[in-house]
Amino acid sequence: MSCPARIFKAAVILKYFRLPSLRLVIAIALLAMTFSASTNNLTNEELAAVALLVLGGTDYDLDSDGDGVPDIDDVFPDNPKEWADSDRDGVGDNSDAFPYDASKSKAIVINFSSGGVSSIALNTDAVSLSTNAQRTSRDGRTTSSTNNNIIAYDENGNEIGDAVETSDVLVVAEAVLTPDGEYLYLLTSPHMQRALNLPDEECSLYRVQLSTEQVDCLIAAAGDVQPKILNSRAIDSASRKGVDFRADGSAVIYAQNYERQLPEGIGGGTQNGYAWLMSPEGSLTGLDPTPDYFIWDALWLDDTRIALLEYKFFELSQGGEGHWRIFDSVTMTDVGGSPVYTIGDSTAARGPLGLIVPREFVNKETLEVTDRGDEQRVIEDSSGNFFAWDGTSLRQLSTDGGGYTGLSIETSEQGARQPNWQKQSGTGTDVKYTAISSNDDYLAYTKSFLARTPILSIEGESFDDSPKQINFLEGKVTVDFGYNNKNDFWAVSATESLAEDVVINYVVSLSSGGQREKTAVIPANAINAWLADSENPEKPYCRSNGADCMNWANPEVDEEGFCLHKYGTDPSLDRCIQFNQSDDARLAYKVLITDMESLRETRYDDGAAYPEGNGNAFPGVQTVALIDGRLQAYFKDSRDHQYYTAVADADNFWENGDSALLFASAKNGSGDNAIITGATSLTLPAPLPLADVTVAAQLSGEQVTVSITLPSITDTQGYEFNRFAPMPAVTVKALNSVSPLTPFAEPVISADNTLSVTFAAEDFTEGQIYLAELPEHFLVNGSVRRRAPATDLLFNAPEAGTE
């Protein structure tokens, strides 16, 4: 053993002896044994170490990195964030996602506190994840890639480099902050990583404790937690996340559990659907599906009950048999009256009084189902308002879920086809796009419009609401154009192979009032390929007339644009953009509802954007988003299948319309970023102001009880204090005083919507005005968005004799 090693070993032993006299005796004995044969060879540094030991030095308490762990106990004495390595894989426990598994040494180093990080955004561009890549931050600095897609910003919006460093590629699909702001959950997606041709992910759910920046993996990748962006039922609800939190940090998680043993003959994938109940400490309890069923969605119904959408295994059902199973998280059993059967389940939202799905409402107390009408989707905005989309309009829902408030926003120009609100990424990531987005001031949405250049006549024949079939090439080809000019697809049929293309001459109407002649060409090789495929049992069906035909897209169909609605204004004032404007080059894009790329089945022409079938170039407005006060829209020009983005400050767009827009080229899949990039603040968001909160003071003997009452349930909102959130703090003071009164005890919730606190009557001065405050804000039942009274809560001191 070398001399320094002997000294270190001696120090390790000596640190356990804190009594100076005993320590000195032990030191002398140890040093005599350690250095008896080699003292003449000691360096000056080693002699100094011996002197420290013998003289009772305290370097055994030295803490070089200031992390509170003495160097002698610190495996990483120069790293203030690490001090232990439980599995001895060289990665400190704080940054080791698997601290007790030496076979997995993925390191995730969080540097939020040192860099002053206030928010993060997520990027899905696989190119940016190159280990050797560099990027330029907002303030002009060049930073090295950190091998992940997390982009951190300070409170001024400046990018902070190396806020997250990872040893392996890490793609985060969603970041969710707990209601108390203490933990950040990072959801990955093994499916997305495969689509981006990235290495396999080891963990589906990471938890970051922001105070210590410690990282833990809670669910291995076999669990495949479903981020919101992959859950079509959650994508339109602003309050829903991939981890659905309750106020105390408990959460419901919907996932694919590939370790669940499925019965023999039952296919996996979607049918591996599962759910977990997570405690505030991160402990997980599996919620097993009903036998022969799988879980397809999971969310809190209220603060104690969970709604689980279950479907019977496809192999055991007739086209799909589903129900909502209501589970009690206190008793850990199904609620009486469960399961509940509903017609609609394309989207689901948690309303103040129950579960809202298209066409129906499930009362959370009685589980009674109320029918509402013909609807396709349910939307929840960022302020807790609910809307139902019926294909042509957004109608605001009343709190009871059984009716409407009267506010209706048109999403289709009269006579136009409904917009396609079920788009997703065309690059294979399966990111679900949304046609609606909101913040506290605005609601952005996709809208359909009548064609700006509708067809008036084809080959000299005008449309007259009767079937229009025209023969071409001496009768070898017949094209059925339908009853009017609005058919998405024309039906093309032929009797024999062709040597020349079919050229269709037609006339369109211009918005200026004039007309223009145009042509459409159907290639002969496409028709010949369709003829050669006549015996194929999987040949695409004829979309136009049900006969045997080749589908060909109408080049002048209805179009898609986008609009901005400002809360509190009449919908007739909404700012809208329709493209294809011949008199404005900035808006000359042709953004159609459908085009040839809408055909996801076999294509016979050679114009496919993805001839190998490894993508889809979906038409129309892909998605709209409101991010940090900016309005963003991603759309495709159907003439060349190129994608573009339009961006504007939302306030500027509301005031000035299309002149506020900036346009730039984009790419297929850019909409992924619009969905995923929504910034996650690492500080709790500002509370929403709540109107009509009242305060009253009641004298009773020697005590005064001050009661703060939330407004009664309104047409659109329901208000009760949240029983799972910390009890709101209450201060009461004279209006012109800085010193609050001292209460007898902590506040109590005396009724569902009333918070009361008691003071000594002698502390009040008759005739004085007092102010009651909730300085830490409060949460309402079923919500994790904080609230604050919209106005000061003022009251007069109760007069004597007013008991």
Side-chain angles (χ1 to χ4, degrees), residues 563-709:
C563 301
L564 190 68
H565 171 76
K566 187 173 185 178
Y567 291 116
T569 66
D570 190 274
S572 63
L573 301 176
D574 290 1
R575 283 284 190 180
C576 293
I577 292 296
Q578 183 181 2
F579 297 101
N580 200 19
Q581 295 190 25
S582 58
D583 56 348
D584 188 343
R586 298 176 68 250
L587 299 174
Y589 308 98
K590 195 162 186 176
V591 185
L592 303 180
I593 283 182
T594 55
D595 61 21
M596 289 296 290
E597 292 298 319
S598 301
L599 299 171
R600 301 186 65 184
E601 60 266 25
T602 300
R603 286 274 295 274
Y604 297 103
D605 64 299
D606 57 6
Y610 292 89
E612 301 299 322
N614 55 352
N616 295 102
F618 297 117
V621 174
Q622 305 300 293
T623 187
V624 293
L626 285 165
I627 301 175
D628 293 338
R630 298 186 310 276
L631 171 65
Q632 300 178 200
Y634 291 83
F635 59 92
K636 190 189 85 168
D637 190 326
S638 287
R639 295 172 299 184
D640 56 10
H641 309 301
Q642 296 299 306
Y643 288 85
Y644 300 89
T645 179
V647 182
D649 175 81
D651 290 334
N652 190 5
F653 180 76
W654 175 256
E655 293 294 332
N656 301 301
D658 60 80
S659 64
L661 291 171
L662 297 176
F663 294 92
S665 296
K667 60 183 179 180
N668 193 359
S670 291
D672 291 24
N673 279 336
I675 297 296
I676 297 175
T677 304
T680 298
S681 174
L682 300 186
T683 57
L684 295 174
L688 291 172
L690 182 58
D692 299 325
V693 178
T694 60
V695 61
Q698 179 67 42
L699 175 67
S700 178
E702 302 299 320
Q703 297 181 354
V704 170
T705 298
V706 177
S707 298
I708 298 173
T709 302

Side-chain angles (χ1 to χ4, degrees), residues 55-77:
L55 296 176
T58 59
D59 67 333
Y60 66 90
D61 287 327
L62 184 65
D63 181 9
S64 300
D65 55 15
D67 60 4
V69 180
D71 288 358
I72 205 165
D73 291 331
D74 197 334
V75 180
F76 305 92

Side-chain angles (χ1 to χ4, degrees), residues 419-676:
N420 181 4
W421 275 26
Q422 300 187 54
K423 295 187 179 78
Q424 66 180 34
S425 175
T427 62
T429 62
D430 286 344
V431 171
K432 305 299 185 287
Y433 290 171
T434 174
I436 192 164
S437 184
S438 62
N439 60 23
D440 291 347
D441 300 312
Y442 296 105
L443 184 75
Y445 59 95
T446 299
K447 183 172 182 176
S448 63
F449 296 90
L450 294 168
R452 278 194 182 272
T453 54
I455 297 176
L456 295 177
S457 64
I458 298 178
E459 298 293 339
E461 298 183 19
S462 61
F463 281 102
D464 54 6
D465 291 328
S466 61
K468 182 174 296 303
Q469 293 184 353
I470 299 177
N471 294 325
F472 295 87
L473 302 179
E474 299 178 345
K476 296 178 182 178
V477 177
T478 300
V479 180
D480 184 347
F481 298 97
Y483 282 81
N484 54 53
N485 60 4
K486 296 181 67 63
N487 272 23
D488 289 338
F489 292 93
W490 297 336
V492 182
S493 58
T495 57
E496 57 183 273
S497 295
L498 305 178
E500 55 183 309
D501 299 338
V502 175
V503 179
I504 302 174
N505 299 295
Y506 62 93
V507 176
V508 299
S509 172
L510 302 178
S511 56
S512 61
Q515 298 180 0
R516 177 180 298 165
E517 295 181 353
K518 303 180 76 172
T519 60
V521 178
I522 304 177
N525 60 4
I527 297 175
N528 293 340
W530 171 78
L531 281 169
D533 199 33
S534 60
E535 301 300 324
N536 182 1
E538 297 182 0
K539 192 174 182 179
Y541 73 94
C542 188
R543 292 174 176 244
S544 179
N545 58 21
D548 188 22
C549 81
M550 182 184 74
N551 297 303
W552 198 260
N554 180 349
E556 310 294 343
V557 291
D558 290 346
E559 304 170 13
E560 285 186 346
F562 60 91
C563 301
L564 190 68
H565 171 76
K566 187 173 185 178
Y567 291 116
T569 66
D570 190 274
S572 63
L573 301 176
D574 290 1
R575 283 284 190 180
C576 293
I577 292 296
Q578 183 181 2
F579 297 101
N580 200 19
Q581 295 190 25
S582 58
D583 56 348
D584 188 343
R586 298 176 68 250
L587 299 174
Y589 308 98
K590 195 162 186 176
V591 185
L592 303 180
I593 283 182
T594 55
D595 61 21
M596 289 296 290
E597 292 298 319
S598 301
L599 299 171
R600 301 186 65 184
E601 60 266 25
T602 300
R603 286 274 295 274
Y604 297 103
D605 64 299
D606 57 6
Y610 292 89
E612 301 299 322
N614 55 352
N616 295 102
F618 297 117
V621 174
Q622 305 300 293
T623 187
V624 293
L626 285 165
I627 301 175
D628 293 338
R630 298 186 310 276
L631 171 65
Q632 300 178 200
Y634 291 83
F635 59 92
K636 190 189 85 168
D637 190 326
S638 287
R639 295 172 299 184
D640 56 10
H641 309 301
Q642 296 299 306
Y643 288 85
Y644 300 89
T645 179
V647 182
D649 175 81
D651 290 334
N652 190 5
F653 180 76
W654 175 256
E655 293 294 332
N656 301 301
D658 60 80
S659 64
L661 291 171
L662 297 176
F663 294 92
S665 296
K667 60 183 179 180
N668 193 359
S670 291
D672 291 24
N673 279 336
I675 297 296
I676 297 175

Side-chain angles (χ1 to χ4, degrees), residues 81 83 94 108 110-113 176-178 180-186 206-218 280-281 682:
K81 298 183 67 171
W83 50 87
N94 218 44
I108 303 176
I110 305 295
N111 300 310
F112 288 167
S113 57
V176 188
L177 192 70
T178 55
D180 58 10
E182 293 185 8
Y183 292 92
L184 180 71
Y185 284 82
L186 304 177
Y206 293 100
R207 183 175 74 158
V208 180
Q209 186 174 13
L210 294 178
S211 60
T212 64
E213 298 180 337
Q214 178 176 337
V215 180
D216 293 299
C217 175
L218 299 188
E281 297 73 33
L682 300 186

